[in-house]
Amino acid sequence: MVLTASTMLSLGTKAPDFHLPEVVSGKIISLDSFAEQKVLLVMFICRHCPFVKHIQDEITKLGEDYRTSDLAIAAISANDAEKYPDDAPDSLKALAIEKGWQFPVCYDETQAIAKAYTAACTPDFFVFNAERKLVYRGQLDDSRPSNGKPVTGADLRAAIDAALADQPVTIEQKPSIGCNIKWKAGNEPSYFG
C-alpha cells in the first residue's frame, strides 16, 4: 500500500464522460444516466483498501440519506483485479449487495476513466453541479483508520448540501487520503509516484 493523496483536479473542470458496466445489473452507466439529477457525486472506491473499509458504513448512509434528493451517486473501481481479486467485479457486486447500495457501482477495467478524473487514491470523491462542473474534490472527513476521529462525512456532505441548494461550495478543500489506485503494470499515469 502506498499512502496517496488525491490530485485535487481543478475546480470548474467538466465531468469526464464514461460508459462503464455496473457490477450488479450489468447495465452500461454513463453521465447521461444521471441527467435527471441536479448534483452528481463520483467516488472512486474498491473493496480491499483499509481506508475504504473504514468508511463503508458512511458510504451506505450517504446513499440512504440522499436517496430521495436530487443527488446522483456513482461509484467506480479501477483497481487491477488480477493482482487484487477482492476488487474484481464479482467481489464488488457482493459488496454492493451486502451493503444494500442503491447507487451504481461500476468497474473501470481499462483504468481510462480513473485517469480522466485524475483519480489517485481510494477513496477519491468528486462533486459536480447541475452544469456538471467540479465544485468539490477531496476528503469525506477528517477520520482515518487509525486517528480515532469519528466518521461523519462532514466535508463531503457540506459540499453536496451546498451544491443542492445552489450555494457556493467552500474552496477550502482537503485532499482525500488512501491507498493508491492499483494501476496495471505499465499503465500508471504521469501523476502517480
Side-chain angles (χ1 to χ4, degrees), residues 50-93:
F51 288 83
V52 177
K53 287 180 177 180
H54 179 67
I55 63 164
Q56 278 178 355
D57 290 342
E58 180 60 22
I59 289 173
T60 302
K61 195 165 175 355
L62 271 168
E64 292 168 356
D65 291 350
Y66 289 95
R67 184 176 298 156
T68 59
S69 75
D70 218 1
L71 173 72
I73 300 174
I76 300 174
S77 179
N79 280 356
D80 180 350
E82 278 189 31
K83 289 191 177 161
Y84 297 87
D86 277 356
D87 299 335
D90 285 346
S91 181
L92 294 168
K93 176 180 179 177

mmCIF file of all heavy atoms in Angstrom, residues 50-93:
data_model
loop_
_atom_site.group_PDB
_atom_site.id
_atom_site.type_symbol
_atom_site.label_atom_id
_atom_site.label_comp_id
_atom_site.label_asym_id
_atom_site.label_seq_id
_atom_site.Cartn_x
_atom_site.Cartn_y
_atom_site.Cartn_z
ATOM 1 N N PRO A 50 -8.037 -0.541 3.284
ATOM 2 C CA PRO A 50 -8.482 -0.263 4.655
ATOM 3 C C PRO A 50 -9.109 1.124 4.818
ATOM 4 O O PRO A 50 -9.958 1.325 5.691
ATOM 5 C CB PRO A 50 -7.211 -0.393 5.495
ATOM 6 C CG PRO A 50 -6.071 -0.376 4.546
ATOM 7 C CD PRO A 50 -6.595 -0.824 3.217
ATOM 8 N N PHE A 51 -8.719 2.079 3.980
ATOM 9 C CA PHE A 51 -9.307 3.419 4.060
ATOM 10 C C PHE A 51 -10.766 3.396 3.589
ATOM 11 O O PHE A 51 -11.609 4.100 4.138
ATOM 12 C CB PHE A 51 -8.484 4.425 3.240
ATOM 13 C CG PHE A 51 -7.174 4.767 3.873
ATOM 14 C CD1 PHE A 51 -6.067 3.950 3.698
ATOM 15 C CD2 PHE A 51 -7.037 5.895 4.671
ATOM 16 C CE1 PHE A 51 -4.843 4.252 4.291
ATOM 17 C CE2 PHE A 51 -5.829 6.209 5.274
ATOM 18 C CZ PHE A 51 -4.734 5.385 5.083
ATOM 19 N N VAL A 52 -11.060 2.585 2.571
ATOM 20 C CA VAL A 52 -12.445 2.459 2.098
ATOM 21 C C VAL A 52 -13.251 1.627 3.090
ATOM 22 O O VAL A 52 -14.391 1.980 3.421
ATOM 23 C CB VAL A 52 -12.502 1.845 0.682
ATOM 24 C CG1 VAL A 52 -13.958 1.658 0.238
ATOM 25 C CG2 VAL A 52 -11.764 2.732 -0.318
ATOM 26 N N LYS A 53 -12.673 0.544 3.599
ATOM 27 C CA LYS A 53 -13.372 -0.271 4.603
ATOM 28 C C LYS A 53 -13.775 0.592 5.794
ATOM 29 O O LYS A 53 -14.863 0.437 6.351
ATOM 30 C CB LYS A 53 -12.487 -1.432 5.070
ATOM 31 C CG LYS A 53 -12.339 -2.524 4.046
ATOM 32 C CD LYS A 53 -11.455 -3.638 4.592
ATOM 33 C CE LYS A 53 -11.350 -4.774 3.606
ATOM 34 N NZ LYS A 53 -10.516 -5.872 4.101
ATOM 35 N N HIS A 54 -12.895 1.511 6.167
ATOM 36 C CA HIS A 54 -13.127 2.389 7.315
ATOM 37 C C HIS A 54 -14.382 3.250 7.130
ATOM 38 O O HIS A 54 -15.043 3.605 8.113
ATOM 39 C CB HIS A 54 -11.890 3.279 7.510
ATOM 40 C CG HIS A 54 -11.981 4.248 8.621
ATOM 41 N ND1 HIS A 54 -12.025 3.877 9.954
ATOM 42 C CD2 HIS A 54 -12.025 5.611 8.622
ATOM 43 C CE1 HIS A 54 -12.097 4.962 10.716
ATOM 44 N NE2 HIS A 54 -12.096 6.027 9.940
ATOM 45 N N ILE A 55 -14.720 3.583 5.891
ATOM 46 C CA ILE A 55 -15.848 4.498 5.643
ATOM 47 C C ILE A 55 -17.025 3.834 4.930
ATOM 48 O O ILE A 55 -17.986 4.517 4.561
ATOM 49 C CB ILE A 55 -15.392 5.732 4.838
ATOM 50 C CG1 ILE A 55 -14.889 5.320 3.455
ATOM 51 C CG2 ILE A 55 -14.341 6.521 5.615
ATOM 52 C CD1 ILE A 55 -14.780 6.465 2.479
ATOM 53 N N GLN A 56 -16.989 2.512 4.751
ATOM 54 C CA GLN A 56 -18.073 1.835 4.019
ATOM 55 C C GLN A 56 -19.455 2.117 4.592
ATOM 56 O O GLN A 56 -20.408 2.327 3.845
ATOM 57 C CB GLN A 56 -17.847 0.322 3.999
ATOM 58 C CG GLN A 56 -16.900 -0.136 2.943
ATOM 59 C CD GLN A 56 -16.679 -1.640 2.997
ATOM 60 O OE1 GLN A 56 -17.165 -2.333 3.895
ATOM 61 N NE2 GLN A 56 -15.937 -2.141 2.030
ATOM 62 N N ASP A 57 -19.563 2.133 5.908
ATOM 63 C CA ASP A 57 -20.879 2.380 6.505
ATOM 64 C C ASP A 57 -21.353 3.803 6.217
ATOM 65 O O ASP A 57 -22.553 4.031 6.016
ATOM 66 C CB ASP A 57 -20.860 2.107 8.013
ATOM 67 C CG ASP A 57 -20.731 0.616 8.318
ATOM 68 O OD1 ASP A 57 -20.991 -0.213 7.415
ATOM 69 O OD2 ASP A 57 -20.358 0.281 9.460
ATOM 70 N N GLU A 58 -20.426 4.757 6.174
ATOM 71 C CA GLU A 58 -20.807 6.135 5.849
ATOM 72 C C GLU A 58 -21.194 6.249 4.373
ATOM 73 O O GLU A 58 -22.120 7.001 4.039
ATOM 74 C CB GLU A 58 -19.677 7.106 6.183
ATOM 75 C CG GLU A 58 -19.995 8.564 5.861
ATOM 76 C CD GLU A 58 -21.214 9.140 6.602
ATOM 77 O OE1 GLU A 58 -21.612 8.607 7.659
ATOM 78 O OE2 GLU A 58 -21.773 10.136 6.103
ATOM 79 N N ILE A 59 -20.536 5.501 3.512
ATOM 80 C CA ILE A 59 -20.940 5.476 2.101
ATOM 81 C C ILE A 59 -22.369 4.945 1.992
ATOM 82 O O ILE A 59 -23.201 5.495 1.267
ATOM 83 C CB ILE A 59 -19.955 4.625 1.266
ATOM 84 C CG1 ILE A 59 -18.618 5.362 1.130
ATOM 85 C CG2 ILE A 59 -20.536 4.310 -0.106
ATOM 86 C CD1 ILE A 59 -17.518 4.542 0.473
ATOM 87 N N THR A 60 -22.654 3.889 2.742
ATOM 88 C CA THR A 60 -24.017 3.346 2.767
ATOM 89 C C THR A 60 -25.003 4.399 3.261
ATOM 90 O O THR A 60 -26.065 4.610 2.666
ATOM 91 C CB THR A 60 -24.075 2.099 3.681
ATOM 92 O OG1 THR A 60 -23.148 1.132 3.189
ATOM 93 C CG2 THR A 60 -25.471 1.514 3.732
ATOM 94 N N LYS A 61 -24.642 5.081 4.338
ATOM 95 C CA LYS A 61 -25.514 6.117 4.925
ATOM 96 C C LYS A 61 -25.725 7.278 3.947
ATOM 97 O O LYS A 61 -26.847 7.799 3.831
ATOM 98 C CB LYS A 61 -24.897 6.603 6.233
ATOM 99 C CG LYS A 61 -25.835 7.390 7.131
ATOM 100 C CD LYS A 61 -25.233 7.479 8.510
ATOM 101 C CE LYS A 61 -25.984 8.334 9.475
ATOM 102 N NZ LYS A 61 -27.113 9.078 9.048
ATOM 103 N N LEU A 62 -24.670 7.677 3.245
ATOM 104 C CA LEU A 62 -24.813 8.733 2.227
ATOM 105 C C LEU A 62 -25.861 8.336 1.191
ATOM 106 O O LEU A 62 -26.736 9.127 0.838
ATOM 107 C CB LEU A 62 -23.485 8.966 1.512
ATOM 108 C CG LEU A 62 -22.520 9.977 2.087
ATOM 109 C CD1 LEU A 62 -21.160 9.837 1.411
ATOM 110 C CD2 LEU A 62 -23.045 11.384 1.913
ATOM 111 N N GLY A 63 -25.726 7.100 0.709
ATOM 112 C CA GLY A 63 -26.685 6.618 -0.286
ATOM 113 C C GLY A 63 -28.114 6.645 0.235
ATOM 114 O O GLY A 63 -29.038 7.042 -0.483
ATOM 115 N N GLU A 64 -28.286 6.248 1.498
ATOM 116 C CA GLU A 64 -29.625 6.244 2.098
ATOM 117 C C GLU A 64 -30.131 7.660 2.348
ATOM 118 O O GLU A 64 -31.277 7.988 2.042
ATOM 119 C CB GLU A 64 -29.605 5.450 3.407
ATOM 120 C CG GLU A 64 -29.379 3.970 3.192
ATOM 121 C CD GLU A 64 -29.076 3.211 4.475
ATOM 122 O OE1 GLU A 64 -28.963 3.849 5.558
ATOM 123 O OE2 GLU A 64 -28.927 1.979 4.399
ATOM 124 N N ASP A 65 -29.277 8.513 2.910
ATOM 125 C CA ASP A 65 -29.702 9.862 3.283
ATOM 126 C C ASP A 65 -30.078 10.719 2.085
ATOM 127 O O ASP A 65 -30.938 11.601 2.195
ATOM 128 C CB ASP A 65 -28.604 10.566 4.088
ATOM 129 C CG ASP A 65 -28.413 9.966 5.475
ATOM 130 O OD1 ASP A 65 -29.247 9.127 5.888
ATOM 131 O OD2 ASP A 65 -27.425 10.327 6.138
ATOM 132 N N TYR A 66 -29.437 10.487 0.945
ATOM 133 C CA TYR A 66 -29.693 11.324 -0.231
ATOM 134 C C TYR A 66 -30.515 10.601 -1.303
ATOM 135 O O TYR A 66 -30.687 11.118 -2.402
ATOM 136 C CB TYR A 66 -28.360 11.806 -0.832
ATOM 137 C CG TYR A 66 -27.660 12.823 0.033
ATOM 138 C CD1 TYR A 66 -26.686 12.444 0.942
ATOM 139 C CD2 TYR A 66 -27.983 14.178 -0.054
ATOM 140 C CE1 TYR A 66 -26.039 13.378 1.745
ATOM 141 C CE2 TYR A 66 -27.346 15.119 0.745
ATOM 142 C CZ TYR A 66 -26.376 14.714 1.643
ATOM 143 O OH TYR A 66 -25.743 15.652 2.429
ATOM 144 N N ARG A 67 -31.048 9.436 -0.966
ATOM 145 C CA ARG A 67 -31.766 8.629 -1.955
ATOM 146 C C ARG A 67 -32.914 9.385 -2.612
ATOM 147 O O ARG A 67 -33.139 9.271 -3.813
ATOM 148 C CB ARG A 67 -32.293 7.339 -1.327
ATOM 149 C CG ARG A 67 -32.966 6.418 -2.360
ATOM 150 C CD ARG A 67 -33.407 5.109 -1.777
ATOM 151 N NE ARG A 67 -32.238 4.389 -1.294
ATOM 152 C CZ ARG A 67 -32.282 3.457 -0.357
ATOM 153 N NH1 ARG A 67 -33.419 3.132 0.201
ATOM 154 N NH2 ARG A 67 -31.188 2.839 0.021
ATOM 155 N N THR A 68 -33.642 10.179 -1.848
ATOM 156 C CA THR A 68 -34.800 10.891 -2.416
ATOM 157 C C THR A 68 -34.472 12.338 -2.764
ATOM 158 O O THR A 68 -35.363 13.116 -3.083
ATOM 159 C CB THR A 68 -35.992 10.860 -1.434
ATOM 160 O OG1 THR A 68 -35.590 11.471 -0.204
ATOM 161 C CG2 THR A 68 -36.443 9.427 -1.173
ATOM 162 N N SER A 69 -33.198 12.687 -2.718
ATOM 163 C CA SER A 69 -32.786 14.054 -3.057
ATOM 164 C C SER A 69 -32.455 14.132 -4.544
ATOM 165 O O SER A 69 -32.638 13.175 -5.291
ATOM 166 C CB SER A 69 -31.561 14.462 -2.232
ATOM 167 O OG SER A 69 -30.397 13.820 -2.740
ATOM 168 N N ASP A 70 -31.925 15.264 -4.951
ATOM 169 C CA ASP A 70 -31.549 15.480 -6.341
ATOM 170 C C ASP A 70 -30.060 15.179 -6.560
ATOM 171 O O ASP A 70 -29.432 15.728 -7.451
ATOM 172 C CB ASP A 70 -31.867 16.927 -6.743
ATOM 173 C CG ASP A 70 -32.397 17.017 -8.166
ATOM 174 O OD1 ASP A 70 -32.530 15.969 -8.816
ATOM 175 O OD2 ASP A 70 -32.658 18.147 -8.622
ATOM 176 N N LEU A 71 -29.508 14.300 -5.704
ATOM 177 C CA LEU A 71 -28.110 13.874 -5.829
ATOM 178 C C LEU A 71 -28.055 12.503 -6.487
ATOM 179 O O LEU A 71 -28.747 11.578 -6.056
ATOM 180 C CB LEU A 71 -27.443 13.782 -4.454
ATOM 181 C CG LEU A 71 -26.023 13.180 -4.456
ATOM 182 C CD1 LEU A 71 -25.018 14.162 -5.070
ATOM 183 C CD2 LEU A 71 -25.601 12.785 -3.048
ATOM 184 N N ALA A 72 -27.236 12.382 -7.508
ATOM 185 C CA ALA A 72 -26.918 11.081 -8.096
ATOM 186 C C ALA A 72 -25.547 10.665 -7.579
ATOM 187 O O ALA A 72 -24.667 11.504 -7.369
ATOM 188 C CB ALA A 72 -26.896 11.185 -9.616
ATOM 189 N N ILE A 73 -25.390 9.377 -7.374
ATOM 190 C CA ILE A 73 -24.114 8.840 -6.899
ATOM 191 C C ILE A 73 -23.660 7.740 -7.853
ATOM 192 O O ILE A 73 -24.455 6.877 -8.234
ATOM 193 C CB ILE A 73 -24.240 8.246 -5.479
ATOM 194 C CG1 ILE A 73 -24.697 9.308 -4.475
ATOM 195 C CG2 ILE A 73 -22.920 7.614 -5.036
ATOM 196 C CD1 ILE A 73 -24.985 8.761 -3.077
ATOM 197 N N ALA A 74 -22.387 7.789 -8.211
ATOM 198 C CA ALA A 74 -21.776 6.717 -8.997
ATOM 199 C C ALA A 74 -20.474 6.324 -8.329
ATOM 200 O O ALA A 74 -19.635 7.179 -8.046
ATOM 201 C CB ALA A 74 -21.511 7.170 -10.422
ATOM 202 N N ALA A 75 -20.321 5.040 -8.054
ATOM 203 C CA ALA A 75 -19.071 4.524 -7.506
ATOM 204 C C ALA A 75 -18.330 3.810 -8.629
ATOM 205 O O ALA A 75 -18.946 3.104 -9.435
ATOM 206 C CB ALA A 75 -19.353 3.560 -6.362
ATOM 207 N N ILE A 76 -17.028 4.014 -8.672
ATOM 208 C CA ILE A 76 -16.197 3.394 -9.706
ATOM 209 C C ILE A 76 -14.988 2.758 -9.030
ATOM 210 O O ILE A 76 -14.358 3.375 -8.173
ATOM 211 C CB ILE A 76 -15.724 4.440 -10.747
ATOM 212 C CG1 ILE A 76 -16.929 5.089 -11.445
ATOM 213 C CG2 ILE A 76 -14.770 3.799 -11.763
ATOM 214 C CD1 ILE A 76 -16.559 6.241 -12.376
ATOM 215 N N SER A 77 -14.683 1.536 -9.435
ATOM 216 C CA SER A 77 -13.447 0.888 -9.006
ATOM 217 C C SER A 77 -12.589 0.670 -10.241
ATOM 218 O O SER A 77 -13.074 0.198 -11.270
ATOM 219 C CB SER A 77 -13.728 -0.450 -8.331
ATOM 220 O OG SER A 77 -12.499 -1.061 -7.960
ATOM 221 N N ALA A 78 -11.323 1.041 -10.129
ATOM 222 C CA ALA A 78 -10.410 0.917 -11.268
ATOM 223 C C ALA A 78 -9.195 0.053 -10.948
ATOM 224 O O ALA A 78 -8.267 -0.017 -11.737
ATOM 225 C CB ALA A 78 -9.950 2.313 -11.707
ATOM 226 N N ASN A 79 -9.197 -0.588 -9.803
ATOM 227 C CA ASN A 79 -8.017 -1.359 -9.406
ATOM 228 C C ASN A 79 -7.788 -2.572 -10.309
ATOM 229 O O ASN A 79 -8.741 -3.164 -10.824
ATOM 230 C CB ASN A 79 -8.140 -1.831 -7.960
ATOM 231 C CG ASN A 79 -7.779 -0.735 -6.982
ATOM 232 O OD1 ASN A 79 -7.369 0.354 -7.344
ATOM 233 N ND2 ASN A 79 -7.945 -1.035 -5.702
ATOM 234 N N ASP A 80 -6.535 -2.933 -10.463
ATOM 235 C CA ASP A 80 -6.128 -4.113 -11.215
ATOM 236 C C ASP A 80 -6.698 -5.351 -10.508
ATOM 237 O O ASP A 80 -6.224 -5.752 -9.450
ATOM 238 C CB ASP A 80 -4.592 -4.172 -11.265
ATOM 239 C CG ASP A 80 -4.051 -5.368 -12.023
ATOM 240 O OD1 ASP A 80 -4.836 -6.277 -12.372
ATOM 241 O OD2 ASP A 80 -2.828 -5.390 -12.271
ATOM 242 N N ALA A 81 -7.727 -5.949 -11.113
ATOM 243 C CA ALA A 81 -8.427 -7.069 -10.477
ATOM 244 C C ALA A 81 -7.627 -8.364 -10.521
ATOM 245 O O ALA A 81 -7.880 -9.265 -9.726
ATOM 246 C CB ALA A 81 -9.790 -7.273 -11.131
ATOM 247 N N GLU A 82 -6.663 -8.456 -11.416
ATOM 248 C CA GLU A 82 -5.834 -9.672 -11.449
ATOM 249 C C GLU A 82 -4.945 -9.733 -10.215
ATOM 250 O O GLU A 82 -4.809 -10.782 -9.593
ATOM 251 C CB GLU A 82 -4.982 -9.711 -12.717
ATOM 252 C CG GLU A 82 -5.732 -10.233 -13.911
ATOM 253 C CD GLU A 82 -4.827 -10.469 -15.106
ATOM 254 O OE1 GLU A 82 -3.641 -10.806 -14.922
ATOM 255 O OE2 GLU A 82 -5.334 -10.289 -16.223
ATOM 256 N N LYS A 83 -4.349 -8.600 -9.867
ATOM 257 C CA LYS A 83 -3.468 -8.572 -8.698
ATOM 258 C C LYS A 83 -4.253 -8.381 -7.401
ATOM 259 O O LYS A 83 -3.765 -8.717 -6.320
ATOM 260 C CB LYS A 83 -2.432 -7.463 -8.849
ATOM 261 C CG LYS A 83 -1.398 -7.785 -9.900
ATOM 262 C CD LYS A 83 -0.241 -6.820 -9.857
ATOM 263 C CE LYS A 83 0.794 -7.222 -10.878
ATOM 264 N NZ LYS A 83 1.701 -6.143 -11.208
ATOM 265 N N TYR A 84 -5.460 -7.806 -7.504
ATOM 266 C CA TYR A 84 -6.288 -7.534 -6.319
ATOM 267 C C TYR A 84 -7.680 -8.103 -6.557
ATOM 268 O O TYR A 84 -8.635 -7.373 -6.836
ATOM 269 C CB TYR A 84 -6.331 -6.024 -6.035
ATOM 270 C CG TYR A 84 -4.968 -5.482 -5.715
ATOM 271 C CD1 TYR A 84 -4.111 -5.053 -6.726
ATOM 272 C CD2 TYR A 84 -4.511 -5.461 -4.404
ATOM 273 C CE1 TYR A 84 -2.823 -4.604 -6.434
ATOM 274 C CE2 TYR A 84 -3.229 -5.013 -4.106
ATOM 275 C CZ TYR A 84 -2.393 -4.585 -5.124
ATOM 276 O OH TYR A 84 -1.129 -4.147 -4.830
ATOM 277 N N PRO A 85 -7.836 -9.448 -6.453
ATOM 278 C CA PRO A 85 -9.111 -10.088 -6.779
ATOM 279 C C PRO A 85 -10.293 -9.618 -5.926
ATOM 280 O O PRO A 85 -11.443 -9.716 -6.370
ATOM 281 C CB PRO A 85 -8.836 -11.587 -6.602
ATOM 282 C CG PRO A 85 -7.520 -11.699 -5.913
ATOM 283 C CD PRO A 85 -6.791 -10.420 -6.117
ATOM 284 N N ASP A 86 -10.040 -9.057 -4.731
ATOM 285 C CA ASP A 86 -11.133 -8.502 -3.925
ATOM 286 C C ASP A 86 -11.804 -7.329 -4.637
ATOM 287 O O ASP A 86 -12.932 -6.968 -4.306
ATOM 288 C CB ASP A 86 -10.624 -8.017 -2.561
ATOM 289 C CG ASP A 86 -10.520 -9.130 -1.543
ATOM 290 O OD1 ASP A 86 -10.919 -10.281 -1.858
ATOM 291 O OD2 ASP A 86 -10.046 -8.865 -0.432
ATOM 292 N N ASP A 87 -11.097 -6.734 -5.596
ATOM 293 C CA ASP A 87 -11.632 -5.579 -6.309
ATOM 294 C C ASP A 87 -12.181 -5.940 -7.692
ATOM 295 O O ASP A 87 -12.508 -5.058 -8.491
ATOM 296 C CB ASP A 87 -10.544 -4.505 -6.445
ATOM 297 C CG ASP A 87 -10.062 -4.032 -5.076
ATOM 298 O OD1 ASP A 87 -10.825 -4.131 -4.099
ATOM 299 O OD2 ASP A 87 -8.912 -3.569 -4.982
ATOM 300 N N ALA A 88 -12.306 -7.225 -7.970
ATOM 301 C CA ALA A 88 -12.888 -7.694 -9.230
ATOM 302 C C ALA A 88 -14.394 -7.452 -9.228
ATOM 303 O O ALA A 88 -15.019 -7.333 -8.157
ATOM 304 C CB ALA A 88 -12.581 -9.172 -9.434
ATOM 305 N N PRO A 89 -15.006 -7.366 -10.402
ATOM 306 C CA PRO A 89 -16.436 -7.059 -10.472
ATOM 307 C C PRO A 89 -17.343 -7.953 -9.620
ATOM 308 O O PRO A 89 -18.248 -7.448 -8.962
ATOM 309 C CB PRO A 89 -16.748 -7.205 -11.971
ATOM 310 C CG PRO A 89 -15.462 -6.822 -12.641
ATOM 311 C CD PRO A 89 -14.393 -7.383 -11.738
ATOM 312 N N ASP A 90 -17.111 -9.275 -9.601
ATOM 313 C CA ASP A 90 -17.978 -10.153 -8.805
ATOM 314 C C ASP A 90 -17.874 -9.855 -7.312
ATOM 315 O O ASP A 90 -18.873 -9.911 -6.585
ATOM 316 C CB ASP A 90 -17.644 -11.624 -9.059
ATOM 317 C CG ASP A 90 -18.164 -12.106 -10.406
ATOM 318 O OD1 ASP A 90 -18.997 -11.401 -11.014
ATOM 319 O OD2 ASP A 90 -17.741 -13.197 -10.846
ATOM 320 N N SER A 91 -16.674 -9.527 -6.857
ATOM 321 C CA SER A 91 -16.473 -9.187 -5.451
ATOM 322 C C SER A 91 -17.119 -7.837 -5.130
ATOM 323 O O SER A 91 -17.735 -7.664 -4.067
ATOM 324 C CB SER A 91 -14.979 -9.162 -5.127
ATOM 325 O OG SER A 91 -14.767 -8.857 -3.771
ATOM 326 N N LEU A 92 -16.992 -6.887 -6.052
ATOM 327 C CA LEU A 92 -17.651 -5.583 -5.873
ATOM 328 C C LEU A 92 -19.168 -5.745 -5.849
ATOM 329 O O LEU A 92 -19.869 -5.089 -5.074
ATOM 330 C CB LEU A 92 -17.247 -4.622 -6.989
ATOM 331 C CG LEU A 92 -15.783 -4.195 -7.018
ATOM 332 C CD1 LEU A 92 -15.473 -3.492 -8.336
ATOM 333 C CD2 LEU A 92 -15.448 -3.294 -5.839
ATOM 334 N N LYS A 93 -19.671 -6.630 -6.687
ATOM 335 C CA LYS A 93 -21.117 -6.910 -6.713
ATOM 336 C C LYS A 93 -21.570 -7.438 -5.354
ATOM 337 O O LYS A 93 -22.581 -6.988 -4.806
ATOM 338 C CB LYS A 93 -21.425 -7.929 -7.815
ATOM 339 C CG LYS A 93 -22.876 -8.369 -7.865
ATOM 340 C CD LYS A 93 -23.106 -9.386 -8.982
ATOM 341 C CE LYS A 93 -24.557 -9.833 -9.009
ATOM 342 N NZ LYS A 93 -24.813 -10.779 -10.132
#
